[in-house]
Amino acid sequence: MEKLVERDVEEKTLAQLYSERSTGRCRMVAIGGPLASGKTALLDSFARDAADAGATVLKATASRFERYQALGILDQLLRAHRLFAHSAGLEVRALVEGVLEAGAHSEISPPILGVLQGAFQHLAGSPPLVVCIDDAHFMDVESLQYLLALMRRMGSAPISIVLTYCPDMGRDSVQRILQAEFLRMPNCGQLDLEPLSETGVATVLEEYFNLETAGRMASECRQLCGGRPLLVHALAEDCTGRTWEPAAQLRPRAGHAFGRAVLSCLYRAEPVVLEIAQAMATLGAFRSVAAVARLCGMDPESVGRVVASPGVGGLLDHDLLGQPSVREAVLGSIPQKERHAMRSRAARLLHHEGAPALVTAEHLMRIDDAIPWAKQVLCEAADQALAGGDHETAIGYLERAHRECADGRERIGIAARLADVMWRYNPAAVKSYLPDLVAAAERGELSVRQSVPVVRSLLWNGQVEQATRVTARLREGARAQAGDDAARHAEQLRLWLPVTYPGIAAAPGREDGTLPDDGIGTPGHRAAAALGAVLRGAGEEGAVPAAERVLREALAGAASPASSLASLMVLIYSDNLDKASVWCDALLASMGETYGLVWNAMFTSARAEIHYRLGDLRNAKRQAHAALALMPRESWGAAVVVPLSLLILTTTAMGNLGEAESYLDLPVPSAAFGTLGGVVYLDARGHLHLARGRHDAALQDFLAAGHLMKLWEADCPAAVPWRVNAARAYLHKGLVAQAKELLAEHMSLLPPGHPRTRGLTYRALAATLRAEERPPVLRKAANILDRCGDSLNLAYTLADLGHSYESLGDSVQARRHAHRARTLADRCAAALLPGPPPAAADEGAGAEPLSAADLPVPQLSSAEWRVAELAARGSTNEQIARKLFITVSTVEQHLTRAYRKLGIRRRTQLPSCLSELVP
């Protein structure tokens, strides 16, 4: 039973009506109010109270479906009650049925009135009689006329009559009788129900939520429901269904219960109200009075009058019908066979009224009619959807426009647009459009602008031969098509192919890669030139500033994702890993889904590479997995080698060689080896072969990677240090001279800067030297790697240094460096550190190499342990001195000795180091 809220005055009035039944006259009350204002609930509550007090209660509910059934309401009132005699009951029944058969009468029949009066007087004898009629505005005229005549003749009979009605609703004749006669009778009272206040709404919500939640939600709930009790209850039901949301964060949101409640109110109104609501829901946001009137076939004045009707009470307000659940419910009320015709009319109407393309396209997508202007509207809507970040809707619009096209050239144009948009989100789906686009390009039907995304999609999907043909045709078209736009897109492709897919593009001359002056040229031109300069290892002095300038423009929305990624790779390949890390995180945070899954996956892969180069293997593996999971495997095309390479590198370094082998089993398109990603894949595979002891296979992969980089004139030592890796493979084979030759060549090609690559080179170079020559070179490598933040290769270098000192008999230095190496390796999640290549050892090479597990654990004194433990827990030197009753100077001395024994430099390194020493 619904609890009545803010109806105390009305309940008191009705109670008084019943208590005055013995005053010698019939009393009447009319409860007025708009739909869903709580009239029925108030009437039912009064009927229950009267029945509990011993009254005879006659109830009837009028309906718009029975309003032309003569005496239908009187039939409802008397049907369920036995009269004073069986013969009287039969007489009333015969008279009523006679009226029903004869149809409506304009005059009251004295025989019927007499029998009805006798029946009511009998029922009003003892106990008293209460008559309740709900939705009286839908009464049949005959029942209302006889009821009024009876009230005038009942005299002092103890009868109470309560009815509910909506103003301006139902038959005009019934409203006239109610207003002119019923409400003007001296013994009739009027109750007008007001919407619930914010306090009242909060009281209703307290039935569902605690006081704090109900009070917090009341204002927003009242605004949405308009204070209608029925809708407040429905909204509360929707909120209670969202059990996954914490109560403190719960906010009113219309759901299915709310939509059904609004629809039930519309069903109880006049048919025209539901018809207008259906038209409004169909038109969506573009539901002006004029548009609704045209769709309904009415005049705007009539529509406005219905919308503003006090009986409707705001149920046709834009805000209410604009709720998705309400709109869905109202649209669902349109019969299926009528829904298509209404949407078709709506689409034409909206186009005629100049509605936004997005609004009209929503209807075009749901009809099958062939409309000449539909293609243009759908393409415009696709552009607007993309601007709003809704790529799925945009692709749907373009696909529909493509199907609508009969003209070949126009169809090809839309297919090219589809290839551009769809590639960002589902590159595999573009394949179905590529054959037609390639054929159109070869016929010269594609503009230069349209050809660029076609070439990109072909290369991504590994269709190199077709891409080569389209590229050649594009160059011809650029010469034939005059204009800056054609030249700009041709230049874009000329700059980008050598740095992304050099397997089919001639390397640009050095003059092409010259960095433009500050701010001159497009971001794409500057990014491609900077990346080209870094890959060639020539003229790269201004590459990093140029790349950072493009990245700033990207965060401001002025540079493309391709330019951003190229600029990010400039920072990575120049060993500016700290900068690359900051920029990559900023780009990933700002892009969201704006640029699509493909770019999101590529930037996530770049983040994985940065983690790997910094030695953070756990995060590198996690990000590489995340990138691979963003798209189905078939959507990756030739670019699948990018995340796969990182997974092979990280799992190999972590010692999970079986897992690394499993990634090698995944198919890789042969076209991938025409990309820079393919070179990285060869390098990763070489690392795995080296870890497995397959030195010949490793050397073959490293040299193959180098061959491609030299062939493409993209031999950047920091991008893929293939000479360093090949040198280590040579050393494992005992070919020291070949290793030295490669490393000398590598050092000669290394430009200024590039600290990480320089550190890797010094570490490899040390392995070619005699034992007594290695420590200084390894210390130099360690210092460089420590400064650039590559923890993994620093750990490898320190392990080599420990082995070197061990071979020289300096066990103290060996333990010190080996412990630090092991600590760093554990922090990186790396496997046990390898020893130096055995072929590089001199007279001490025959000794068994020292593994990290065999190294002795550094020992701290009890005093040093106590001080270090408190420092690891976050205590300051002063706090430690007070706790241990020693001086601050003594604390500092103990910490200094502990740092030296543990091989660390900072206080923050203590927790992980001490945890390693716990037995």
Side-chain angles (χ1 to χ4, degrees):
M1 181 176 67
E2 184 178 316
K3 176 184 176 182
L4 296 181
V5 176
E6 291 189 334
R7 298 294 183 251
D8 296 341
V9 174
E10 289 81 2
E11 287 187 291
K12 187 179 295 184
T13 301
L14 292 174
Q16 184 178 0
L17 166 75
Y18 181 73
S19 65
E20 293 177 354
R21 65 190 182 281
S22 59
T23 57
R25 59 176 181 165
C26 174
R27 294 296 308 273
M28 297 178 289
V29 171
I31 304 172
L35 291 165
S37 58
K39 302 183 299 296
T40 299
L42 180 60
L43 182 65
D44 289 345
S45 176
F46 170 69
R48 282 192 298 271
D49 292 343
D52 292 342
T56 297
V57 179
L58 302 183
K59 293 179 65 177
T61 300
S63 166
R64 62 186 177 90
F65 299 107
E66 301 180 50
R67 55 183 165 180
Y68 296 108
Q69 183 177 347
L71 297 184
I73 292 299
L74 288 176
D75 185 40
Q76 276 193 60
L77 291 172
L78 298 175
R79 181 175 292 275
H81 292 272
R82 298 188 64 178
L83 301 181
F84 53 90
H86 180 65
S87 58
L90 292 177
E91 186 176 357
V92 170
R93 179 66 46 228
L95 289 170
V96 170
E97 290 176 355
V99 172
L100 295 177
E101 292 176 3
H105 287 267
S106 58
E107 298 181 358
I108 292 177
S109 168
I112 295 177
L113 183 60
V115 174
L116 289 173
Q117 183 175 351
F120 271 80
Q121 285 177 336
H122 167 71
L123 293 172
S126 180
L129 178 63
V130 173
V131 176
C132 298
I133 303 175
D134 197 15
D135 288 345
H137 50 276
F138 284 138
M139 286 180 67
D140 60 281
V141 175
E142 293 76 16
S143 289
L144 184 57
Q145 289 175 334
Y146 276 98
L147 190 61
L148 286 170
L150 284 170
M151 295 306 100
R152 287 190 287 264
R153 288 166 173 74
M154 292 300 290
S156 59
I159 300 178
S160 302
I161 300 177
V162 182
L163 56 83
T164 67
Y165 75 101
C166 289
D168 291 346
M169 196 169 289
R171 296 171 67 179
D172 291 341
S173 56
V174 171
Q175 283 288 348
R176 283 197 299 272
I177 295 173
L178 284 173
Q179 300 293 334
E181 298 188 47
F182 193 93
L183 296 178
R184 295 175 64 85
M185 295 182 72
N187 56 342
C188 180
Q190 171 79 20
L191 293 177
D192 292 318
L193 298 190
E194 296 294 330
L196 298 180
S197 67
E198 186 175 322
T199 303
V201 171
T203 303
V204 174
L205 294 177
E206 287 170 15
E207 299 179 30
Y208 301 86
F209 311 103
N210 58 44
L211 289 173
E212 188 276 330
T213 303
R216 178 174 51 82
M217 294 172 58
S219 176
E220 195 172 350
C221 184
R222 186 182 189 278
Q223 184 177 2
L224 183 58
C225 300
R228 303 173 183 87
L230 176 67
L231 301 189
V232 176
H233 281 281
L235 192 61
E237 288 178 24
D238 284 328
C239 291
T240 55
R242 305 205 308 269
T243 55
W244 61 89
E245 292 188 35
Q249 301 176 9
L250 201 62
R251 294 186 59 191
R253 189 167 69 244
H256 293 301
F258 190 83
R260 290 193 300 269
V262 173
L263 183 60
S264 70
C265 295
L266 296 173
Y267 275 134
R268 295 185 64 182
E270 289 285 358
V272 69
V273 176
L274 179 60
E275 184 181 352
I276 291 174
Q278 290 170 340
M280 287 181 164
T282 301
L283 291 172
F286 200 80
R287 47 179 179 267
S288 65
V289 172
V292 171
R294 290 191 61 184
L295 188 59
C296 293
M298 300 170 59
D299 61 274
E301 185 179 352
S302 299
V303 172
R305 187 165 54 249
V306 172
V307 171
S309 167
V312 174
L315 282 176
L316 297 178
D317 286 351
H318 284 201
D319 291 341
L320 188 62
L321 285 178
Q323 296 296 319
S325 62
V326 175
R327 188 183 182 207
E328 180 183 352
V330 173
L331 288 175
S333 70
I334 305 174
Q336 184 66 38
K337 60 183 180 181
E338 298 176 14
R339 199 174 303 165
H340 181 275
M342 179 172 277
R343 285 198 177 277
S344 180
R345 295 199 311 274
R348 289 172 167 83
L349 170 63
L350 290 168
H351 182 67
H352 182 267
E353 294 287 331
L358 272 175
V359 178
T360 308
E362 180 186 352
H363 299 282
L364 292 174
M365 293 295 288
R366 289 173 170 81
I367 62 176
D368 300 324
D369 302 8
I371 303 176
W373 45 261
K375 299 183 293 294
Q376 179 183 354
V377 171
L378 289 166
C379 290
E380 290 177 11
D383 291 336
Q384 294 171 15
L386 281 175
D390 190 354
H391 68 276
E392 290 186 8
T393 299
I395 291 173
Y397 290 158
L398 289 173
E399 287 177 329
R400 176 63 188 272
H402 185 259
R403 292 195 300 270
E404 291 284 323
C405 279
D407 177 72
R409 187 173 291 274
E410 191 176 26
R411 182 181 174 86
I412 287 297
I414 295 175
R417 178 77 172 124
L418 259 173
D420 187 18
V421 175
M422 193 177 285
W423 175 84
R424 306 177 207 170
Y425 304 95
N426 186 9
V430 183
K431 291 180 182 178
S432 60
Y433 298 95
L434 291 179
D436 289 344
L437 289 170
V438 171
E442 292 176 343
R443 293 193 301 267
E445 295 177 0
L446 282 187
S447 67
V448 175
R449 181 191 186 98
Q450 292 169 332
S451 299
V452 172
V454 174
V455 172
R456 180 186 60 198
S457 294
L458 288 168
L459 291 175
W460 183 274
N461 287 295
Q463 300 179 36
V464 179
E465 183 182 347
Q466 295 91 325
T468 305
R469 294 203 306 268
V470 175
T471 303
R473 185 66 188 179
L474 182 148
R475 293 191 181 108
E476 295 174 8
R479 290 191 292 268
Q481 297 174 24
D484 295 337
D485 188 62
R488 181 167 57 86
H489 284 89
E491 177 71 5
Q492 174 186 344
L493 198 63
R494 188 180 71 88
L495 286 169
W496 279 109
L497 277 180
V499 296
T500 55
Y501 215 114
I504 69 164
R510 294 188 182 274
E511 67 282 356
D512 294 325
T514 302
L515 291 173
D517 294 336
D518 188 14
I520 298 177
T522 65
H525 179 258
R526 284 181 272 125
L531 182 56
V534 170
L535 289 174
R536 285 192 311 274
E540 63 172 286
E541 294 77 13
V544 171
E548 290 194 279
R549 193 178 308 118
V550 173
L551 291 169
R552 283 192 293 272
E553 292 170 335
L555 287 182
S560 69
S563 305
S564 305
L565 185 61
S567 300
L568 195 61
M569 299 315 294
V570 168
L571 299 181
I572 294 173
Y573 290 164
S574 59
D575 289 344
N576 286 276
L577 299 177
D578 288 340
K579 290 182 178 180
S581 182
V582 172
W583 280 112
C584 191
D585 287 342
L587 289 166
L588 281 169
S590 66
M591 71 191 308
E593 295 185 4
T594 306
Y595 294 137
L597 289 178
V598 168
W599 290 116
N600 205 328
M602 296 305 291
F603 277 100
T604 304
S605 297
R607 191 67 183 96
E609 182 165 2
I610 295 168
H611 280 306
Y612 173 74
R613 288 176 178 245
L614 288 171
D616 187 354
L617 298 180
R618 290 188 186 90
N619 279 321
K621 181 180 178 181
R622 179 178 60 82
Q623 292 280 32
H625 268 304
L628 198 59
L630 279 172
M631 295 188 295
R633 193 69 51 78
E634 59 272 13
S635 288
W636 273 95
V640 73
V641 291
V642 176
L644 283 182
S645 301
L646 290 161
L647 287 172
I648 295 168
L649 286 168
T650 53
T651 51
T652 299
M654 296 170 85
N656 303 327
L657 302 186
E659 183 180 354
E661 295 276 9
S662 71
Y663 296 125
L664 281 184
D665 293 337
L666 297 177
V668 171
S670 58
F673 296 99
T675 70
L676 290 174
V679 173
V680 178
Y681 182 85
L682 289 171
D683 179 68
R685 192 170 68 184
H687 276 80
L688 177 56
H689 287 322
L690 204 60
R692 284 291 195 190
R694 301 190 289 258
H695 304 137
D696 288 331
L699 183 61
Q700 183 178 352
D701 278 340
F702 293 141
L703 293 178
H707 170 74
L708 291 175
M709 294 182 76
K710 289 193 292 184
L711 179 67
W712 298 336
E713 296 186 22
D715 194 7
C716 174
V720 177
W722 65 271
R723 292 179 179 84
V724 172
N725 298 330
R728 298 191 68 81
Y730 275 131
L731 289 172
H732 278 284
K733 290 168 60 67
L735 302 175
V736 180
Q738 289 87 336
K740 285 185 175 181
E741 182 182 353
L742 276 179
L743 291 172
E745 183 182 7
H746 186 82
M747 289 295 285
S748 68
L749 293 173
L750 197 59
H754 295 272
R756 176 179 178 272
T757 310
R758 198 170 298 276
L760 297 179
T761 309
Y762 280 127
R763 181 201 167 208
L765 185 62
T768 67
L769 305 175
R770 294 194 303 272
E772 65 273 13
E773 296 175 329
R774 293 175 195 159
V777 179
L778 287 171
R779 284 197 300 270
K780 186 174 184 178
N783 289 334
I784 294 173
L785 292 168
D786 191 20
R787 287 196 301 270
C788 73
D790 186 349
S791 300
L792 178 63
N793 281 294
L794 175 59
Y796 290 160
T797 305
L798 291 173
D800 288 352
L801 197 53
H803 286 291
S804 182
Y805 279 122
E806 185 68 21
S807 68
L808 294 173
D810 190 344
S811 59
V812 174
Q813 289 285 5
R815 293 189 190 98
R816 173 172 171 258
H817 288 95
H819 173 72
R820 188 181 173 202
R822 182 178 60 193
T823 302
L824 282 171
D826 289 344
R827 195 176 303 159
C828 295
L832 292 180
L833 301 170
D842 52 10
E843 61 273 12
E848 184 69 21
L850 188 68
S851 71
D854 296 331
L855 294 172
V857 176
Q859 296 295 321
L860 301 182
S861 68
S862 58
E864 291 165 354
W865 180 272
R866 286 194 298 270
V867 170
E869 189 175 28
L870 288 171
R873 293 177 182 175
S875 298
T876 65
N877 289 357
E878 290 78 6
Q879 291 170 334
I880 295 171
R882 286 195 299 271
K883 290 177 182 179
L884 299 180
F885 302 102
I886 57 178
T887 65
V888 174
S889 176
T890 303
V891 172
E892 292 171 350
Q893 292 172 20
H894 286 328
L895 282 176
T896 300
R897 287 194 293 271
Y899 286 174
R900 185 169 62 249
K901 290 181 180 181
L902 295 172
I904 62 175
R905 296 181 179 181
R906 292 180 290 277
R907 199 185 196 97
T908 54
Q909 296 173 287
L910 277 172
S912 60
C913 290
L914 292 181
S915 65
E916 294 293 330
L917 304 182
V918 177

